[in-house]
Amino acid sequence: MTTLSESSEGTGLFDCLTVRSPRLLQRGVPKARTRGSFRISHVGVSRFEQFVRSDIFHYLANMPLRWMLLNYCVVYILTWLLFTFWWQHAANDCESRELNFRRAFLLSLETMTTIGYGVSDPMFDECPEVVPLLVAQSLIGLLMDAIFLNLMYTRFSTAFTRSASIIFTDVAIVYEENGFVKIAFRVCEVARKPLIEPMVRLYLIKHGRVAVDADMEGFLDVDTHQMALEEPDINIADGKLFLTLPTKVVHCLDETSPLSSGPVRNMQQFHDQIQAMDFFEVIVVLSGTCPITGNSLEARQSYTASDLRYNCTFAPCVSLHDDKHQVNFEYFHRTMKCDQTGKSPSTKLL
């Protein structure tokens, strides 16, 4: 059995741990920021059933952008083609020249886009049957413009990319303080206009034993638990964060922690409890409101056993430069080894 002192000298990891499950929350580029996508697939529900269970607007708005643009082009082109045949039937006798398919298609396009007519008589005085055609295509064109412009605005104004301005540390530290073992990470925002009322929540994902029933073979018992925070304190300012400067988020492994079966007093005890787990992942969800668009957003990060650094503290990363507080993100992710007492850090950066 690997002891704590042996495993924490190098990378700060427990080398004997075996990761039996993939990470739930995908961690991707850029560094220290997540794609915010969960590695979850749904079976047993068809695409048609998903479409029926959702309204058409949100179904289209949630489409990948490439498919939304493709639908945009296809719908407009099909509408122009549909009215092309109507123009050939209704306005063929109104032109001195034959209204062939190409000219009818251009007439349909010009009517919906209101870019002007190339016909000899744009008033169509001698063709009363053209009036309902013009009214119908104009109204349908306005409706389609409103729908697709709204969809495009909704898609491009979402706060998915805005959440990339929230940076989490690559690793979480485990240390002893006031007789308890605690887990902490840092978070900071790089945007010039900070989020409004940011809040952070932690969830623990644990895997249980594989079902022994033959019919349930291959299924996992997955539990999700909320994790209480010591910092920020929910009783002070409702737990709102100040993200303009690096802020530490701390979870204490006391009797209420889902990561332990009771209060954890030392590192070795935490080591033993972690080894007893098949798999665990701490999901971090930081939510707030974008001050520009007013849209709500979420930034997500996750930490597993391989992301923990033991008996460490975070290195200072803020300095004064030209009468300003300067945050150096080269040091933001770095940790420092604590001394044997666990109270004061050494100067060695990890």
Side-chain angles (χ1 to χ4, degrees):
M1 177 177 178
T2 304
T3 63
L4 176 61
S5 60
E6 291 173 348
S7 61
S8 60
E9 282 295 324
T11 61
L13 308 178
F14 291 124
D15 299 331
C16 57
L17 285 177
T18 300
V19 179
R20 298 179 175 86
S21 303
R23 189 186 295 269
L24 177 66
L25 181 64
Q26 182 178 3
R27 291 180 62 169
V29 293
K31 185 178 181 181
R33 312 179 195 185
T34 63
R35 300 180 186 274
S37 58
F38 292 101
R39 291 176 172 175
I40 300 176
S41 61
H42 300 93
V43 297
V45 180
S46 64
R47 291 273 186 176
F48 178 75
E49 186 175 353
Q50 293 180 9
F51 173 77
V52 171
R53 290 177 179 270
S54 62
D55 61 278
I56 183 63
F57 178 82
H58 288 92
Y59 184 85
L60 293 174
N62 287 323
M63 271 187 177
L65 183 59
R66 60 183 182 276
W67 293 115
M68 182 183 294
L69 294 176
L70 179 62
N71 288 333
Y72 168 82
C73 296
V74 169
V75 169
Y76 267 93
I77 292 175
L78 289 179
T79 304
W80 294 334
L81 289 174
L82 177 64
F83 279 97
T84 296
F85 297 107
W86 193 352
W87 276 108
Q88 280 190 300
H89 175 74
N92 192 38
D93 297 333
C94 305
E95 280 284 288
S96 57
R97 297 173 55 188
E98 180 184 0
L99 195 61
N100 55 27
F101 179 84
R102 184 183 63 83
R103 297 186 69 236
F105 179 79
L106 292 176
L107 193 58
S108 175
L109 175 63
E110 292 169 353
T111 301
M112 186 170 290
T113 56
T114 63
I115 59 176
Y117 286 103
V119 295
S120 56
D121 185 6
M123 303 304 295
F124 300 100
D125 291 334
E126 303 300 328
C127 299
E129 61 270 19
V130 171
V131 175
L133 171 57
L134 287 171
V135 173
Q137 188 167 8
S138 299
L139 291 178
I140 291 176
L142 290 174
L143 181 61
M144 290 173 57
D145 291 342
I147 292 174
F148 279 102
L149 285 175
N150 194 12
L151 280 173
M152 293 299 175
Y153 173 79
T154 300
R155 187 54 186 266
F156 285 108
S157 64
T158 54
F160 294 139
T161 54
R162 174 63 171 82
S163 61
S165 64
I166 309 298
I167 299 182
F168 301 88
T169 50
D170 293 330
V171 298
I173 59 174
V174 182
Y175 61 97
E176 296 182 28
E177 185 180 68
N178 299 327
F180 288 97
V181 174
K182 300 181 180 181
I183 298 179
F185 61 90
R186 279 198 300 203
V187 60
C188 188
E189 184 176 12
V190 297
R192 293 185 178 273
K193 295 184 180 296
L195 295 182
I196 300 174
E197 297 189 339
M199 297 184 64
V200 64
R201 305 184 303 278
L202 267 63
Y203 300 93
L204 176 66
I205 310 297
K206 291 196 299 186
H207 290 182
R209 295 177 179 272
V210 177
V212 295
D213 192 338
D215 295 335
M216 303 293 290
E217 185 178 358
F219 286 89
L220 293 173
D221 185 13
V222 180
D223 295 325
T224 303
H225 305 273
Q226 292 184 342
M227 301 174 64
L229 295 178
E230 184 178 89
E231 296 180 23
D233 190 347
I234 193 173
N235 296 317
I236 301 177
D238 296 329
K240 302 295 192 303
L241 298 172
F242 183 74
L243 296 179
T244 304
L245 290 174
T247 301
K248 188 165 71 171
V249 179
V250 181
H251 170 72
C252 181
L253 296 172
D254 55 15
E255 62 277 358
T256 63
S257 175
L259 259 176
S260 62
S261 56
V264 179
R265 303 294 183 180
N266 55 71
M267 295 283 192
Q268 189 63 53
Q269 183 182 358
F270 178 67
H271 171 217
D272 296 339
Q273 293 187 10
I274 290 298
Q275 284 197 122
M277 296 182 184
D278 287 343
F279 174 82
F280 82 92
E281 182 175 357
V282 176
I283 303 293
V284 182
V285 179
L286 193 151
S287 58
T289 303
C290 176
I292 303 298
T293 63
N295 293 333
S296 299
L297 63 92
E298 283 188 352
R300 306 183 185 108
Q301 177 70 303
S302 76
Y303 299 98
T304 62
S306 61
D307 303 314
L308 301 182
R309 299 294 182 268
Y310 296 88
N311 201 28
C312 295
T313 186
F314 287 114
C317 61
V318 181
S319 61
L320 293 177
H321 182 74
D322 294 336
D323 296 328
K324 295 181 180 180
H325 286 76
Q326 186 178 77
V327 181
N328 190 331
F329 283 95
E330 292 184 2
Y331 289 86
F332 178 77
H333 304 279
R334 297 190 183 184
T335 59
M336 298 190 303
K337 202 73 174 176
C338 293
D339 58 14
Q340 293 182 354
T341 63
K343 293 182 179 180
S344 58
S346 66
T347 57
K348 181 180 179 181
L349 294 178
L350 300 179

